[in-house]
Each structure stands twice: as structure tokens, then as C-alpha cells.
Amino acid sequence: MFKLEDTICAPSTSVSKNSAINIIRISGEKTLEILSKILKPPPPYIERRMYLGKIYEPDTKKLIDKIQWVYYKKPKSYTGEDMVEIFTHGGVIIPEIILRILIKLGARLAEPGEFTMRAVLNGKMDLLQAQAINQIVKSENLKALEISLKRLEGVLRKKFENLFEDIKEVSAEIEVNLNYPEEDLPPFQKENILKKIEQIEKKIKKYLEESENSKRIFEGLKISICGAPNVGKSTLFNKLIKKERAIVSEIPGTTRDYISENISIKGINSIIYDTAGLRLKTPSKIEKIGIKKTEKIIEESDIIIWIFDSQKKPLERELKKIKKLMKEKNFIFVINKMDKKIKWNKNILKDLGDEVFEISALKGIGLENLVKEIEKRFEEESGSAEISLTLYEESKLKEILYEIEKSKETLKEGREEITGLHLKNALSNLNTLLGKDIDNEILQKIFSDFCVGK
């Protein structure tokens, strides 16, 4: 259990031997008292001004480092408490010594997320904005960062507040009908209320769908290049990642295991795989293992680029396998080696769709259109998203959706009293999402996902 009256300290930057600068935060009532024993010049300090000075070991008065620091007076600090950020030289020894001294003088090491949790409890930010801070730190691409910044600016809060008002309005109409039936009020318009509940339901489902899309944006998509042996998968792979990563050979089965690379498509990090050739029958045990791994990658891939060889007619078994997979997967079909005259009739691919890209990965022919198609499919798969939800928020929103669905069901059955109860439950859950009526135990669980210095 956090003791909020404690003065806390922690490194805010990753401590490593390669770091140039380390930042250590200390926050709480005893901040200046503790620092007065080890900093020169000692307090008082003008708030938000950078100081240059030295830090000493309190007992031996031995110099530890020449440092800079900034004092933030409460409530105008990140945590809402008296807070100092100390900038030391890099490496691992100096921050370790300083933290040990701070703890010896009365501070304690902060728990994960405790600085941000104090900011929430002191009214510096709401719970939804605090989660945005965590998402910003963890964002690995520009789109994920954009979504996190929108959340920090209050986009998600506004949506939840509007949702709260919508449910409250419907709840009020039902309560008035139940509690004041004899008053001279407009007649109870059940159909109208049902429509309002359905609109609320639709809105919540949209938020959940957007959150699913944002997961893909945060995690990135998986793209695999597949096909029979020696169709040019590795050549295309090297062209798409713009370097010679995969070994290219005329010998069928050169790629026995998959290789992967991170690439950025439309600002989103993704993984692209060059897979082993899918020979439907092979006597080689090693090749069989490679094929098994390829099948697993296909299963996990969001987009599959399937390559045919212009010099070799696709087997009927291969086409059957593709048709089966097409029910679940997003395919892009490619005929490679089109710098040579094709040796089979393209009509055999007519069941695979209207568009088959003709390229020569070796000569770089047709790659521009193929890349545009990959980007187009990528956008379709990742979808659009303005919000992202944590697992906790997602589970709460699903609980709200359940209550709304039950309220609709009971209203249709004419059980308005039960409808009112479900709407109240939905409002209560929304209050929790907005950071109201939330107990410390849940707060600590939420912030346990943060890094220590946050």
C-alpha cells in the first residue's frame, strides 16, 4: 500500500553505463529538508529555475557529482507536491549513490507509477490523462503517439463525458415516468427512449471497435511473403526492406526457415516475413519443419503476399489451399519474373480475384504499384482510430455495454424499473472510468503498469 505522506525518489531516465545524463526525481513534503543536507547551494530556491551546484555525501562531505537541478513548488509541479529534478552525469554509479543517500535521509524509492498517481490524486490530471502518459512512453510509431497525445488533450474524457450525459438523460426520463406518474407531464415515449438507448449502444460499440484498431496501430501488423519454392520470395523481401537481408539463389528450398524485418508503413511499425517455400510434398525433414513454421506465420499474418512464378504453372493443390485460406486472410496475389514471357494461362487465377500484380522483383518492374497496394491493404487492416483503451478501460466499457443492452431488453418487455437499475449501473461504471468513485486498490493496480520514475 502506498503511503502518500512519504517523500519519494526514483530515476526518471533509464540508468545505464551508456547514458549521458541521468534525471532523479524527489517529491513530497521533506524534499527541500532532505536536499538541504546534500546540495550546495542549499535552499531556498526560486521555483522553476535551473541551478548549477554540487551534491555531497552528508556524513563525509565527500563530493559525489557536479549537478544541475530544478525546484517545482507545490502545487505547480508534476505531482502537485514539492518536487526537485536532479540532473547528474550519466552511468550507473552516480544515480545509485544519490538514491541511496536520499533513502538514508528519509525518502523512499517510489513504487511504479507513483509520481503520476500522486498527480491524479492531487488533481494535476485525471485518470484518463495519466494513462495517456503511459501510452506516450510506450508508443513505438507516429500514429500510436498521435492517439496517445489526443488522449492527453482530453479527447477520450470528452467522449466518456458525453456518453455519461446521454445515459443520464435517458435514465432521468425513465425515473420521472416511474416516480411521478400522476404529474401533468408529457406522455412516456417508449419508442423514443428505445432509439436513444440504441444510439448509446452504437456509440459504445464504435469506441470498442476503435480500440481494437488502435491495438493494431500500437502493435503493428504482420505481413508474410509466401509461395512455392524458388518463386522469388526472398528477392521481393529484399526489395521491400531495401537491403540484402535474405539469401537469394536459384536452388529451390534455399530459404529453409523464415526471416523477418521491421518496416514502417504509413508511419506504423510492422513486421514482414520471408517464409520457406511451401512445397506440398517434400522428403526433407528440415524443409518440413520450415513449412510448418511458414503455416504458423500465415495463420498469424494480417496480410499475405502470395507469389506465383511466371515460368511455372501453379499446381491445382496450391490453388485449392489458397482458396481455403482466402476465407479468413487478406491476400495480395503476385506473378513474379514477368520480365520473361509467361508460360501458363493467367485465367487459372480467375477465382482468386480481379487483381493480380505482375512484377519482376529482380528487375524492379511493377514494384511501385505493389507497394501502393500493400499500403492500401495496410490502411484497411489497421483501420482508423481516435482512441485507445487499456485492458481495464475496455473491460469496464464492455460492462457498460452489457448494462445498456439489458436496459434495452427490459424496456422492450415493459419492465421500466429494471431498465432504470441497468442505466444506473452503467452510470456508476462510467464514473469509475472517469476516475470518480475509484478506490486506492484499483488505482495502485492501474499504476503498477507504469515505470518507476513515472
Side-chain angles (χ1 to χ4, degrees):
M1 183 72 74
F2 294 168
K3 288 185 179 175
L4 299 174
E5 63 274 20
D6 290 347
T7 295
I8 56 172
C9 59
S12 279
T13 47
S14 176
V15 176
S16 83
K17 62 181 181 181
N18 297 319
S19 59
I21 293 173
N22 287 309
I23 302 174
I24 295 170
R25 269 183 178 163
I26 174 167
S27 177
E29 283 298 322
K30 291 184 180 175
T31 295
L32 291 181
E33 180 189 326
I34 291 171
L35 293 179
S36 69
K37 297 173 184 174
I38 52 177
L39 293 188
K40 283 189 179 178
Y45 303 126
I46 297 170
E47 60 181 306
R48 297 175 181 274
R49 174 179 290 185
M50 177 75 83
Y51 284 85
L52 174 65
K54 295 175 181 174
I55 185 165
Y56 293 88
E57 209 288 327
D59 296 328
T60 64
K61 308 301 178 190
K62 192 175 175 182
L63 176 67
I64 296 168
D65 194 11
K66 191 174 180 181
I67 61 170
Q68 292 175 300
W69 66 90
V70 178
Y71 166 55
Y72 302 92
K73 187 178 179 181
K74 70 176 182 181
K76 296 179 180 176
S77 70
Y78 181 76
T79 56
E81 303 170 331
D82 275 347
M83 193 177 95
V84 170
E85 286 180 340
I86 299 172
F87 301 79
T88 77
H89 286 100
V92 296
I93 300 298
I94 291 172
E96 186 182 321
I97 293 172
I98 293 174
L99 285 169
R100 200 182 305 143
I101 289 171
L102 293 173
I103 291 167
K104 184 179 171 184
L105 293 176
R108 70 163 166 82
L109 195 63
E111 298 290 337
E114 191 171 356
F115 288 96
T116 306
M117 180 174 150
R118 289 183 179 210
V120 171
L121 292 172
N122 288 323
K124 300 300 294 183
M125 64 179 75
D126 62 44
L127 190 56
L128 298 172
Q129 287 173 312
Q131 294 281 16
I133 300 284
N134 200 27
Q135 287 184 340
I136 287 169
V137 172
K138 293 180 177 177
S139 294
E140 291 187 359
N141 59 65
L142 287 175
K143 276 206 170 183
L145 180 61
E146 282 172 14
I147 294 170
S148 305
L149 287 171
K150 279 183 182 175
R151 181 187 179 112
L152 186 63
E153 288 171 352
V155 169
L156 186 60
R157 162 164 283 279
K158 189 70 183 166
K159 287 180 186 293
F160 285 168
E161 283 175 343
N162 288 341
L163 192 60
F164 188 92
E165 290 303 315
D166 291 345
I167 299 173
K168 195 170 79 174
E169 184 186 322
V170 175
S171 179
E173 286 186 52
I174 289 176
E175 290 300 321
V176 166
N177 178 61
L178 287 171
N179 296 320
Y180 306 98
E182 295 170 0
E183 295 290 331
D184 187 18
L185 295 169
F188 183 61
Q189 296 182 326
K190 184 174 171 179
E191 289 306 316
N192 193 31
I193 292 177
L194 266 175
K195 276 183 189 172
K196 287 182 181 177
I197 292 177
E198 282 167 356
Q199 284 168 357
I200 291 167
E201 182 185 13
K202 193 175 171 185
K203 199 180 275 189
I204 296 172
K205 285 180 177 174
K206 183 174 179 290
Y207 295 161
L208 288 169
E209 185 184 331
E210 275 195 45
S211 182
E212 277 302 310
N213 289 342
S214 70
K215 280 181 195 171
R216 291 174 171 232
I217 292 169
F218 274 82
E219 294 167 6
L221 298 187
K222 290 181 179 176
I223 302 168
S224 56
I225 303 175
C226 305
N230 206 31
V231 295
K233 297 184 294 298
S234 298
T235 306
L236 179 61
F237 177 80
N238 287 340
K239 288 285 182 185
L240 292 176
I241 65 170
K242 298 178 181 172
K243 61 181 176 183
E244 297 298 314
R245 172 77 166 78
I247 299 170
V248 177
S249 159
E250 291 296 323
I251 304 168
T254 300
T255 306
R256 299 292 186 95
D257 198 358
Y258 71 85
I259 56 174
S260 63
E261 276 285 326
N262 289 313
I263 58 169
S264 176
I265 299 176
K266 294 283 184 181
I268 300 175
N269 295 337
S270 296
I271 303 175
I272 185 164
Y273 294 90
D274 176 23
T275 62
L278 281 170
R279 202 197 302 269
L280 297 176
K281 286 186 180 178
T282 174
S284 165
K285 281 186 182 177
I286 294 173
E287 205 173 341
K288 280 180 181 172
I289 293 170
I291 290 170
K292 202 168 180 181
K293 285 185 179 180
T294 296
E295 286 172 342
K296 188 166 188 324
I297 289 169
I298 288 175
E299 193 181 313
E300 294 172 352
S301 291
D302 300 289
I303 299 170
I304 298 164
I305 303 171
W306 195 280
I307 306 184
F308 301 106
D309 187 339
S310 70
Q311 303 302 295
K312 196 172 179 182
K313 184 181 174 184
L315 297 173
E316 188 57 35
R317 285 177 298 183
E318 181 184 1
L319 297 176
K320 274 185 184 174
K321 185 182 181 73
I322 293 169
K323 283 177 197 167
K324 193 176 172 186
L325 288 168
M326 278 176 70
K327 293 173 186 169
E328 301 170 354
K329 295 292 176 185
N330 191 345
F331 274 84
I332 299 175
F333 295 107
V334 172
I335 305 175
N336 191 25
K337 305 180 188 178
M338 287 301 284
D339 51 313
K340 303 171 188 172
K341 188 178 177 184
I342 189 165
K343 292 184 176 175
W344 44 276
N345 190 335
K346 288 186 279 185
N347 279 338
I348 64 170
L349 302 182
K350 64 182 180 186
D351 292 340
L352 302 184
D354 297 330
E355 198 158 26
V356 177
F357 290 84
E358 299 181 1
I359 68 164
S360 166
L362 185 65
K363 305 282 184 183
I365 299 167
L367 293 183
E368 193 177 332
N369 287 338
L370 177 61
V371 169
K372 282 180 184 171
E373 183 65 17
I374 294 170
E375 289 176 348
K376 183 182 142 195
R377 300 288 185 94
F378 193 88
E379 285 189 322
E380 288 170 3
E381 280 290 322
S382 58
S384 62
E386 196 176 29
I387 61 167
S388 65
L389 302 174
T390 62
L391 283 176
Y392 171 76
E393 291 162 350
E394 187 179 305
S395 69
K396 273 287 165 198
L397 199 56
K398 284 179 178 173
E399 284 179 34
I400 294 166
L401 178 61
Y402 169 81
E403 298 293 350
I404 293 300
E405 286 172 341
K406 294 303 282 183
S407 70
K408 185 174 75 171
E409 185 183 314
T410 51
L411 184 61
K412 281 180 180 174
E413 294 167 354
R415 297 190 291 156
E416 285 86 0
E417 281 190 13
I418 308 298
T419 304
L421 287 175
H422 285 299
L423 291 172
K424 281 179 184 170
N425 288 342
L427 287 171
S428 172
N429 279 322
L430 256 176
N431 253 338
T432 306
L433 266 184
L434 287 163
K436 304 167 188 173
D437 302 333
I438 187 165
D439 63 40
N440 277 347
E441 194 177 336
I442 293 175
L443 267 183
Q444 288 179 27
K445 196 171 179 181
I446 290 170
F447 284 101
S448 65
D449 188 40
F450 282 54
C451 58
V452 173
K454 272 292 175 190

